[in-house]
């Protein structure tokens, strides 16, 4: 029964849910209830648990979305899927509470976590050439790989080609033993990590062996025309202007291309102009090319990463005389600690 709030408004009674398998509830809630915390923060609801029962409090619409999302996640768990914050975000979006575009791969569903990511996914689906430019941790590469995997599984493209310039990030690695694959693997490891996060390991190996998925250093792109492929150039800030021009002109029939990079992390020799910076300035107004810019506020890694990126950006602006280095910015936007009561059986955060 609804209860009265001040002003005569009614507060809807909590939505009740009951689950049969208690063993799956720990996975549904997540470590330290992190999955429920995502649900609460995203929808503005409160979730209380007792045994195998849940009570969801909030507006009628938000509670209904939360109920649908939790039921979907529970079904996924019962079929052997793994559940984490990203899957919770995707379930909320599917249930009608996110308004974003969900990417579906063999291992997980991926939903945008902020407007910039949503704009980026839409651009990757609509345009043949997309530049994603911004700081680390904003999902530029991960989402591009997710779009590529989804396109491959749907038959929209025949190949995925992932590339990076082989540039050392400030340290000298010296001679690397092994064949060419073993030599470039350290530079391309983040791309492997993204692939294995979206496809079963045996599928990654099988598709790489067949040539459906190719991971190659930028130098191997010269002289090729890449047709019916989804092509991703990561760490593009470390290309030279000639390398960038060479790469962009590899685009062939039926292909899509994503170029990602962070202009604050250029590891080229002093005096060498970044190909990404040159491309941004040269191609900004070119029809058919979309630029999506991310900021530190779009960071979706650990909250501390957001603060680190902000601190470095502020220091850089101070060195260029754009701000007063003695003014300390507020800590707005950083997640706050909350204490939530859940009842017996579930620990508080």
């Amino acid at each position: 029964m609804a209860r009265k709030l001040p002003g005569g408004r009614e507060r809807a009674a909590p939505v009740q849910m009951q689950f049969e398998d208690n063993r799956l509830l720990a996975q549904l809630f997540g470590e330290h209830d992190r999955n429920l915390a995502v649900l609460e923060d995203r929808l503005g609801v409160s979730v209380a648990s007792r045994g195998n029962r849940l009570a969801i409090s909030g507006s009628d619409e938000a509670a209904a979305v939360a109920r649908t999302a939790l039921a979907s996640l529970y079904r996924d768990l019962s079929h052997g899927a793994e559940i984490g914050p990203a899957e919770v975000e995707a379930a909320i979006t599917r249930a009608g509470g996110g308004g974003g575009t969900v990417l579906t791969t063999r291992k997980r569903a991926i939903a945008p976590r902020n407007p910039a990511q949503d704009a980026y996914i839409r651009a990757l689906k609509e345009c043949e050439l997309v530049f994603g430019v911004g700081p680390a941790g904003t999902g530029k590469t991960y989402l591009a790989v997710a779009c590529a995997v989804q396109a491959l599984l749907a038959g929209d493209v025949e190949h995925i080609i992932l590339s990076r310039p082989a540039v050392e990030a400030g340290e000298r690695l010296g001679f690397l033993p092994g064949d060419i694959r073993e030599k470039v693997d350290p530079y391309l490891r983040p791309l492997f990590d993204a692939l294995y996060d979206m496809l079963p390991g045996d599928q990654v190996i099988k598709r790489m062996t067949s040539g459906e998925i190719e991971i190659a250093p930028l130098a191997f792109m010269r002289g090729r025309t890449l047709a019916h492929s989804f092509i991703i150039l990561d760490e593009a800030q470390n290309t030279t202007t000639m390398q960038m021009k060479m790469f962009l002109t590899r685009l062939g029939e039926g292909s899509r291309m994503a170029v990602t990079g962070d202009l604050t992390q250029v590891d080229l020799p002093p005096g060498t102009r970044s190909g990404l910076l040159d491309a941004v300035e040269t191609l900004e107004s070119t029809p058919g090319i979309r630029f999506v810019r991310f900021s530190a506020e779009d960071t979706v890694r650990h909250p501390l990463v957001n603060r680190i990126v902000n601190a470095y950006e502020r220091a850089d602006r101070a060195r260029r005389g754009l701000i007063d280095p003695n003014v300390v910015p507020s800590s707005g936007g950083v997640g706050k600690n909350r204490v939530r009561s859940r009842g017996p059986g579930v620990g508080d955060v």
Side-chain angles (χ1 to χ4, degrees):
M1 181 176 179
R3 290 176 288 178
K4 294 287 186 180
L5 293 173
R9 292 179 291 114
E10 289 189 345
R11 178 168 61 192
V15 172
Q16 304 290 334
M17 298 186 71
Q18 183 172 345
F19 302 92
E20 295 181 358
D21 191 343
N22 284 341
R23 295 173 299 177
L24 296 180
L25 289 185
Q27 300 174 56
L28 179 65
F29 295 166
E31 186 177 5
H32 303 302
D33 295 347
R34 64 176 184 172
N35 293 341
L36 293 184
V38 170
L39 193 81
E40 291 180 328
D41 291 341
R42 180 78 175 269
L43 296 175
V45 299
S46 176
V47 181
S49 67
R50 183 179 296 274
N52 65 340
R53 296 175 180 269
L54 286 182
I56 306 169
S57 301
S59 69
D60 288 342
E61 181 180 359
V65 171
R67 178 189 177 92
T68 302
L70 286 169
S72 173
L73 291 168
Y74 183 81
R75 285 195 301 270
D76 292 343
L77 282 170
S78 66
H79 293 139
E82 298 178 1
I83 297 299
E87 286 69 37
V88 177
E89 296 272 3
I92 292 171
T93 301
R94 290 196 302 269
T101 304
V102 178
L103 300 171
T104 304
T105 65
R106 287 281 167 81
K107 289 183 69 175
R108 62 183 64 235
I110 300 160
R113 300 193 185 185
N114 51 56
Q117 286 195 351
D118 188 44
Y120 185 53
I121 293 174
R122 293 181 187 278
L124 289 168
K125 288 180 169 293
E126 296 169 1
C127 300
E128 292 179 319
L129 175 55
V130 177
F131 285 80
V133 182
T138 50
K140 304 180 301 295
T141 303
Y142 190 85
L143 292 175
V145 174
C147 283
V149 169
Q150 185 183 63
L152 181 67
L153 295 177
D156 297 332
V157 298
E158 298 174 2
H159 307 280
I160 295 176
I161 300 174
L162 309 174
S163 186
R164 262 189 168 199
V167 176
E168 295 168 345
E171 68 272 38
R172 296 297 180 184
L173 299 180
F175 173 77
L176 294 175
D179 57 23
I180 186 63
R181 166 74 178 277
E182 293 170 321
K183 290 178 188 293
V184 302
D185 268 4
Y187 299 102
L188 304 175
R189 177 50 55 184
L191 300 176
F192 281 107
D193 292 342
L195 281 174
Y196 279 104
D197 207 29
M198 299 168 196
L199 291 171
D202 60 334
Q203 284 291 309
V204 174
I205 295 172
K206 178 182 178 180
R207 292 177 186 272
M208 290 184 67
T209 301
S210 69
E212 287 182 88
I213 298 176
E214 178 183 350
I215 302 182
L218 181 59
F220 285 25
M221 297 293 105
R222 189 176 299 277
R224 301 177 64 183
T225 299
L226 307 173
H228 306 292
S229 302
F230 201 117
I231 312 143
I232 300 173
L233 174 61
D234 190 31
E235 296 290 325
Q237 75 274 6
N238 289 325
T239 62
T240 65
T241 56
M242 291 304 296
Q243 286 176 326
M244 177 61 77
K245 181 180 178 181
M246 177 274 294
F247 178 81
L248 295 178
T249 54
R250 301 307 95 196
L251 186 65
E253 180 183 359
S255 289
R256 293 183 176 272
M257 185 176 284
V259 179
T260 69
D262 178 1
L263 289 171
T264 68
Q265 295 189 12
V266 178
D267 298 313
L268 294 170
T272 303
R273 181 171 172 80
S274 167
L276 178 59
L277 176 61
D278 186 72
V280 169
E281 294 178 353
T282 303
L283 303 174
E284 183 90 48
S285 59
T286 303
I289 300 177
R290 188 83 58 87
F291 288 83
V292 180
R293 288 176 170 81
F294 296 85
S295 67
E297 285 68 36
D298 299 316
T299 303
V300 292
R301 291 180 181 172
H302 192 288
L304 185 57
V305 174
N306 187 303
R307 281 172 265 173
I308 291 171
V309 171
N310 274 324
Y312 272 103
E313 286 185 351
R314 184 172 178 278
D316 181 62
R317 292 196 300 271
R319 282 192 293 269
R320 290 183 285 144
L322 299 180
I323 61 172
D324 183 354
N326 296 315
V327 177
V328 180
S330 67
S331 59
V334 178
K336 298 178 180 179
N337 293 326
R338 300 175 299 113
V339 177
R340 299 179 286 114
S341 177
R342 298 208 180 282
V346 181
D348 293 337
V349 173

